[in-house]
Amino acid sequence: MTTGRSNTSSATSTSRQTAADSGISTFKGQDRALRSDRLGTGGLLLSVLAATAPLMVVAGVMPTTFAVMGIVGQPLLFVLLGIVLVLFSVGYAEMSRHVHNAGAFYAYISRGLGGTAGSGAAAVALVAYSALQIGIYGIFGFEVSGLCATYLDTEVAWWIPALAAALAVGGLGWLKIDVNARVLGVLLVIEVALVVIFDIAAVADPAKEGLSLHAFNPDTLTGAGVSTALCFCIAAFTGFEQAPVYAEETSRPHVLVPRVMFLAIGFVAVFFAISSWALTVAAGPAGIVGAAQKQSAGLLFFLTEERLGGTFTDVLHVLFVTGMFAALLSFHNVVARYAFAMGREGLLPSVFGRTTGASGAPGTGSLLQTVIAVVVVAAFAVADDKPTGDPTAPVLQLFTWMGNIGALGVTLLMAVASLSVVVFFTRRGAAGAQAWRLAASVAAGVSLLVIAGYTVKDFDVLVGAGPDSSLSWVLPGIIVLAAVTGVLQGLFLRARKPEAHARIGLGNEAFQLEKAAEADADA
């Protein structure tokens, strides 16, 4: 792998090339390798799709976008964003054939832009995915609290179920990834099935305007709210890009990871476009914004009760909660693997770079994410000003703040990864052979940078703060702080520990190289 890093011997250099090209994680010593051959196409796809939380997007993100932005053309936005993310996936998927590392984003960025940039990306990824996962605990706790009040006539503070979920997710994170995949798969299939039933019911019983395709009219994408709506919608896609995180745990990562990425982005784009269109059909294009403003996050449940009855709506409420639990577990697994990859390469203490027992799971990384989640949820609970909890606090603060911080971080990582793809293949002398993929990466990178710019510009709207609120720069500043901290760590390692700096992004290959060097020395 020609990454511009020096090797201590020609044999080590040869081993580096062989390890990089094969993509097979064979090092088993010191618990530094994730267990391979745990996931097939189905398990990997379900693990990735669970993070997109389809029911949460349809019930939460879509009504909010209609209500706050007043943009009827949300279905068209999902189509346009799907195209942008397919362009991104072209280069990202090709990169996944050459680099197999649980660090995914930061590993790719390291291979293209160097270890220091990779260190910055690692810090951003850890913060961004942690924020996305922790934010869901807010709306999860709010919904469970509401279910207890409705069906059990019991007042439960939102943070109690949130903390209980954090512990349950943390426990599952210690199990084999294939066990997690089965849990995620069952929950995902059920919630998708319920949304599809609603979509069919909406088409069968449309509002007075009938089966209107007005939501796909480009004229609907006008006005000041379009850019902010774009930010809301790209946040809904977050999760599809996680397939490379599990590359070491598949039998054929060079085949399965690209396949799953394209399947995931295709499914998400089509599913969200159709489901948001179904909402406009059920409420009517002329009435969808008003209905969303009146019903808020209850829009989907209001429309299903009209068409499918109270029992179905009650089931939908319950599955809304289980769908969020699936998303929590999916993001938890990703954060644990990023922590594992960073610990293995010296970006976190080495204790995080070891797997746990027979499960082969990154147990210490899982524990780290659980502790962080519990601390953050507890902090928001302490700040809550009512004994039973202010019902708006977890949704409008924990969920909204953390969700948008995470979405901004992931969008920036995708943009930088697009640049890294171009540099990586150019340095390998493959620019000509990969020309169309590199062109797609450039187009995607520019588009993603524009979206990230709008996200920062409109952050006050995204988090429901005033234009003069300090939140509009403090919250995005968390991502900037993470990036700067990571880059400084990379610079320190390059100056003081060059061998550790050279391993950034290599993952399990670094230890294969060490074994090869030791074998050469013994010979």
Side-chain angles (χ1 to χ4, degrees), residues 234-480:
I234 197 169
F237 279 91
T238 304
F240 85 93
E241 76 292 341
Q242 295 176 6
V245 173
Y246 300 99
E248 295 182 43
E249 295 166 274
T250 66
S251 57
R252 296 177 297 154
H254 59 290
V255 174
L256 297 186
V257 171
R259 178 190 298 169
V260 166
M261 283 185 58
F262 285 111
L263 287 173
I265 191 61
F267 171 82
V268 170
V270 172
F271 182 81
F272 285 166
I274 291 176
S275 296
S276 57
W277 171 69
L279 289 173
T280 70
V281 169
I288 183 63
V289 172
Q293 291 172 342
K294 181 179 180 180
Q295 301 294 334
S296 186
L299 177 64
L300 175 65
F301 306 105
F302 171 76
L303 295 173
T304 56
E305 189 158 10
E306 284 186 336
R307 289 163 175 79
L308 297 165
T311 300
F312 181 89
T313 304
D314 290 341
V315 172
L316 195 64
H317 272 291
V318 174
L319 269 297
F320 183 38
V321 170
T322 60
M324 284 187 286
F325 185 85
L328 287 168
L329 179 57
S330 182
F331 278 118
H332 177 92
N333 287 335
V334 168
V335 175
R337 279 153 181 78
Y338 265 103
F340 167 81
M342 293 172 69
R344 185 171 58 179
E345 297 175 15
L347 296 174
L348 285 177
S350 61
V351 67
F352 294 108
R354 302 184 187 281
T355 56
T356 303
S359 73
T364 48
S366 176
L367 180 61
L368 174 66
Q369 170 63 4
T370 301
V371 170
I372 293 173
V374 168
V375 169
V376 174
V377 170
F380 274 83
V382 170
D384 201 345
D385 61 357
K386 292 184 180 180
T388 58
D390 177 359
T392 64
V395 177
L396 298 182
Q397 295 177 2
L398 183 56
F399 176 66
T400 308
W401 293 2
M402 295 296 171
N404 283 293
I405 290 171
L408 173 61
V410 172
T411 303
L412 288 171
L413 286 170
M414 287 193 290
V416 177
S418 296
L419 171 61
S420 182
V421 167
V422 175
V423 176
F424 176 81
F425 286 109
T426 300
R427 285 181 174 174
R428 289 169 63 95
Q434 302 284 358
W436 73 274
R437 290 189 176 92
L438 302 191
S441 294
V442 170
V446 171
S447 300
L448 290 163
L449 281 176
V450 170
I451 294 171
Y454 278 127
T455 301
V456 174
K457 172 181 171 292
D458 298 332
F459 215 85
D460 58 327
V461 179
L462 292 171
V463 299
D468 298 325
S469 172
S470 60
L471 292 176
S472 62
W473 59 269
V474 169
L475 295 179
I478 293 174
I479 295 298
V480 176

Side-chain angles (χ1 to χ4, degrees), residues 70-73 76 213-223 226:
I71 301 297
V72 177
L76 181 57
L213 295 176
H214 179 67
F216 292 102
N217 189 330
D219 292 342
T220 60
L221 300 182
T222 57
V226 174

Side-chain angles (χ1 to χ4, degrees), residues 4 33 49 109 115-116 118 152 172 215 241 248 251 268 358 394 473 489 499:
L49 288 177
I109 291 170
T116 301
L152 302 178
L172 287 170
E241 76 292 341
E248 295 182 43
S251 57
V268 170
W473 59 269
Q489 182 184 21
E499 292 182 358

